[in-house]
Amino acid sequence: NGDFEAAKGLLEQVLAQQSNHYPAMLELASLAGRKGDVKLQASWLEKAVAAQAALTGPRRALALLYLNTQQPLKALETAQPALEADPNSVDFLGIVGQSELQAGKTEESIKTFQRLVNVAPQTVEAYFLLARAYGLAEKHREMQAALTKALEIDPNHLPSQVALVRFFVLD
């Protein structure tokens, strides 16, 4: 009903009784996010990850928050354990690759996105991300090949279309 304070109070009561109740922590993180309090949102997500380190949901949410707030090293630190536990995780390969790219680790991101393409060879986004990394590494032929493959999978993928047009115009 839009009563954030009442919801917050109920969730805090749950945590008073069960201090590691990660679903309540996730809801508190969501409430903080709706109010635009990124620091509090991150804090609740960190607590949820600490409470249930093996679960991928809280870890994914925290890594994405860090990635979206330009904190790529924290995103990497958060996502790496999940990728180590499941080296073929499409979600975490994408998060780790984007974090590496944002952190300026272009060659590492290329390797990660190559793994993503191998794990999900029919995923247009995997090829697009790989092309983006190649472009930043100034590997133009590889970038063009990855964009071409992305458009073979989905000829209507607008980001790949735009990137390929931009490549031809600037080349």
Side-chain angles (χ1 to χ4, degrees):
N1 295 333
D3 190 349
F4 293 120
E5 289 306 313
K8 180 182 170 200
L10 290 172
L11 292 166
E12 287 173 344
Q13 285 177 13
V14 169
L15 289 174
Q17 294 175 5
Q18 291 181 307
S19 62
N20 281 341
H21 194 271
Y22 78 92
M25 295 174 196
L26 292 176
E27 287 300 321
L28 285 164
S30 177
L31 288 175
R34 289 184 203 170
K35 292 176 93 176
D37 190 340
V38 175
K39 281 187 175 183
L40 185 59
Q41 183 181 15
S43 175
W44 281 116
L45 288 171
E46 289 165 357
K47 290 175 185 175
V49 168
Q52 293 292 326
L55 292 181
T56 59
R59 188 171 293 281
R60 180 184 314 106
L62 181 59
L64 287 172
L65 178 66
Y66 285 145
L67 189 60
N68 292 331
T69 57
Q70 317 311 262
Q71 299 178 71
L73 297 178
K74 283 187 173 184
L76 271 172
E77 181 182 316
T78 302
Q80 282 291 3
L83 190 56
E84 289 169 10
D86 181 4
N88 293 326
S89 169
V90 171
D91 284 343
F92 286 102
L93 282 167
I95 292 169
V96 166
Q98 291 179 74
S99 300
E100 290 167 337
L101 202 56
Q102 203 176 86
K105 299 179 177 192
T106 309
E107 291 301 320
E108 291 92 333
S109 73
I110 288 171
K111 290 176 186 169
T112 302
F113 290 139
Q114 286 171 334
R115 284 177 48 203
L116 178 59
V117 163
N118 289 334
V119 170
Q122 293 303 313
T123 306
V124 66
E125 191 67 22
Y127 286 96
F128 176 73
L129 291 169
L130 179 58
R132 191 168 155 233
Y134 280 140
L136 290 172
E138 298 186 14
K139 296 182 177 186
H140 300 284
R141 280 182 294 176
E142 293 89 342
M143 179 182 130
Q144 182 183 4
L147 288 170
T148 301
K149 181 63 178 173
L151 290 170
E152 286 174 10
I153 295 168
D154 180 2
N156 297 317
H157 188 249
L158 187 59
S160 293
Q161 291 173 339
V162 170
L164 194 56
V165 168
R166 182 175 289 148
F167 169 76
F168 287 131
V169 168
L170 296 175
D171 191 34

